[in-house]
Amino acid sequence: MQISKDKIVTFHYRLQDENGVEIESSHGGDPMAYLHGHGNIISGLEKGMEGKNAEDIFSITVEAKDAYGERNEDSKQRVPLKHLSGDKKSKAKLKPGMVVTINTEEGAKQVIVIKAGKFNVDVDTNHPLAGKILTFDVDVQGVRDASNEEISHGHAHGVGGHHH
Ligand code: ZN
């Protein structure tokens, strides 16, 4: 079965930056599952998936604009420590360059620590992968029709997808 709109795709992937440094891998865990054609995954990867089949193995390199966007150098923010996830102990150990999660009105967001103080932390709110050219080594595990429920929810259910 070919990957097209409203198919559920399960796949393993290895993600590398432009220097070949591994950033993430799903190997060794559950494959990832997504509903194709609904913007569930970054646009460059979704485009590369179109028309592929179960058991296809391929690599795709995605420009920043089709992945997590370009870096915005003005995206700096001072955040009260209480808006950070984690306990007191971990907040006392913040170092520049660390990725932390802040709770915002739009939900949890990953940011990078620029400078940590006693009550506030200066963070870079760009996505940690913004500005990076990313290469995905993809191993398609399976392709199936989405259920009506999955289409109405706009995401995959089951292993690697959403659990309600
Ligand atoms: Zn759902």
Side-chain angles (χ1 to χ4, degrees):
M1 188 179 277
Q2 261 192 346
I3 298 175
S4 58
K5 191 166 195 285
D6 296 339
K7 298 285 189 253
I8 300 291
V9 183
T10 52
F11 67 103
H12 273 297
Y13 68 97
R14 185 176 301 110
L15 172 59
Q16 296 168 40
D17 69 13
E18 53 212 287
N19 301 314
V21 175
E22 184 175 299
I23 296 168
E24 263 173 39
S25 172
S26 67
H27 293 275
D30 284 333
M32 166 140 176
Y34 79 99
L35 175 62
H36 190 81
H38 291 253
N40 288 179
I41 58 174
I42 62 170
S43 65
L45 181 58
E46 187 163 49
K47 239 181 266 167
M49 289 284 199
E50 183 79 30
K52 297 287 197 296
N53 292 281
E55 295 178 23
D56 278 356
I57 294 173
F58 63 96
S59 289
I60 178 166
T61 297
V62 179
E63 298 293 326
K65 68 174 170 50
D66 298 318
Y68 293 96
E70 301 293 351
R71 282 182 56 81
N72 178 354
E73 295 308 327
D74 297 329
S75 295
K76 283 179 194 150
Q77 214 178 304
R78 178 157 290 184
V79 183
L81 277 181
K82 63 176 188 223
H83 291 174
L84 248 66
S85 295
D87 56 17
K88 264 193 175 147
K89 219 171 139 193
S90 65
K91 289 179 188 179
K93 287 184 186 159
L94 294 174
K95 295 243 160 51
M98 281 173 69
V99 175
V100 293
T101 303
I102 55 171
N103 302 311
T104 72
E105 282 170 7
E106 295 99 53
K109 192 171 178 191
Q110 286 200 313
V111 299
I112 302 166
V113 175
I114 300 169
K115 199 174 137 222
K118 205 164 177 196
F119 303 106
N120 296 293
V121 57
D122 292 344
V123 298
D124 176 345
T125 58
N126 284 293
H127 187 281
L129 297 178
K132 289 190 195 285
I133 298 170
L134 302 173
T135 297
F136 293 86
D137 296 322
V138 178
D139 190 337
V140 181
Q141 304 283 299
V143 182
R144 64 169 169 86
D145 289 318
S147 68
N148 290 335
E149 192 186 40
E150 286 172 319
I151 292 170
S152 74
H153 287 196
H155 54 228
H157 290 162
V159 173
H162 284 250
H163 300 274
H164 293 285

